[in-house]
Amino acid sequence: ALMGKWVDVAVLGPEAYVIARKQDPTIEVFGTYSRLKNGIQDAGPGYKSVLITKKGSKFADVASLKGAVLALVDPASTSGGLVPEVVFPKSAGTPALKSYFSKVVYSGGHDLSAISVAEGKVDAAFVASHRFMETVNAGKVKQDDFNYLWYSPLIPQDPFVYRNTLCDDLKTKIANTFLTVDQNEDGKKYLANVKSEKVVKMSDADYNIVRDAAAGAK
């Protein structure tokens, strides 16, 4: 919708933002969530890609996963696709995912990946820490039912973006609406619903970690 210029304000995944920004420089980030501490999700404007397996299974460490079945989320997912493909092999000292695992599948969602591990449909999955905790909080899985075998470096949260060709006054009003959302009761209710304490200002450079990982995937 952004690329087609049907909308002017949106929230994207980090990798989707980097892709969109490269193709259309008028798409500009102005803020993101600052999350509350919630289980495996740390407080602040970032999250991590986490490798999970089912507790009680034979998959208790990275070495045991050689030849196992792995679930990723989507090729355009930062924590469920890009970071596992590029950062994990270097960090864990393993070959490429498709060489290390016997089968790599795409689930289509962080919740579906977690549920697939819990139900034994796949042996392991990479999920975003905050998306995983949303699945836990929704009662779809239990945090104690998993092993947490690897955590990525911090990834910036999903960016709020607008089209920078909007007039300056309107851009300021849009940004301020988000950046002060913690200062009114309706805003506080919204933030509580997304397990965040506020929206903080972000710049394009904050997403260079995602660009670097994307460059490594080529």
Side-chain angles (χ1 to χ4, degrees):
L2 278 168
M3 300 301 295
K5 295 182 172 56
W6 304 331
V7 298
D8 296 304
V9 184
V11 59
L12 303 173
E15 186 184 9
Y17 163 70
V18 168
I19 293 170
R21 170 80 175 186
K22 184 175 181 180
Q23 296 183 39
D24 186 349
T26 70
I27 297 170
E28 182 176 323
V29 59
F30 63 85
T32 192
Y33 296 110
S34 182
R35 298 278 180 181
L36 293 167
K37 169 68 177 174
N38 179 28
I40 66 169
Q41 168 62 37
D42 294 330
Y47 65 100
K48 295 181 179 181
S49 175
V50 186
L51 176 60
I52 60 172
T53 62
K54 187 175 182 179
K55 187 173 286 186
S57 71
K58 65 180 182 179
F59 305 108
D61 54 33
V62 172
S64 67
L65 285 170
K66 187 174 183 179
V69 178
L70 174 71
L72 298 179
V73 172
D74 182 272
S77 169
T78 306
S79 55
L82 178 64
V83 168
E85 290 271 14
V86 178
V87 179
F88 171 75
K90 295 177 182 177
S91 171
T94 68
L97 295 186
K98 291 179 181 178
S99 298
Y100 195 69
F101 293 89
S102 63
K103 187 176 183 181
V104 178
V105 300
Y106 290 103
S107 70
H110 296 270
D111 56 340
L112 297 176
S113 288
I115 292 168
S116 294
V117 172
E119 295 180 348
K121 294 179 179 177
V122 297
D123 302 319
F126 285 95
V127 293
S129 52
H130 62 305
R131 299 298 184 201
F132 174 80
M133 290 310 303
E134 289 172 1
T135 308
V136 170
N137 295 333
K140 296 178 181 180
V141 298
K142 295 180 179 179
Q143 184 179 339
D144 291 341
D145 288 347
F146 297 87
N147 300 312
Y148 304 93
L149 305 186
W150 180 83
Y151 290 84
S152 75
L154 202 66
I155 304 165
Q157 292 279 3
D158 293 352
F160 291 110
V161 304
Y162 50 36
R163 195 171 305 285
N164 61 22
T165 50
L166 296 171
C167 66
D168 290 342
D169 181 58
L170 183 56
K171 286 189 294 184
T172 298
K173 288 179 178 178
I174 292 169
N176 286 344
T177 298
F178 282 84
L179 296 172
T180 62
V181 71
D182 59 313
Q183 297 175 22
N184 64 78
E185 290 306 312
D186 286 338
K188 289 176 181 177
K189 291 177 183 178
Y190 163 71
L191 289 169
N193 190 52
V194 293
K195 299 294 186 292
S196 299
E197 59 178 349
K198 57 186 175 180
V199 173
V200 294
K201 188 175 181 179
M202 298 290 275
S203 69
D204 181 66
D206 292 321
Y207 292 84
N208 283 343
I209 184 175
V210 182
R211 287 190 178 89
D212 292 344
K218 295 179 181 178

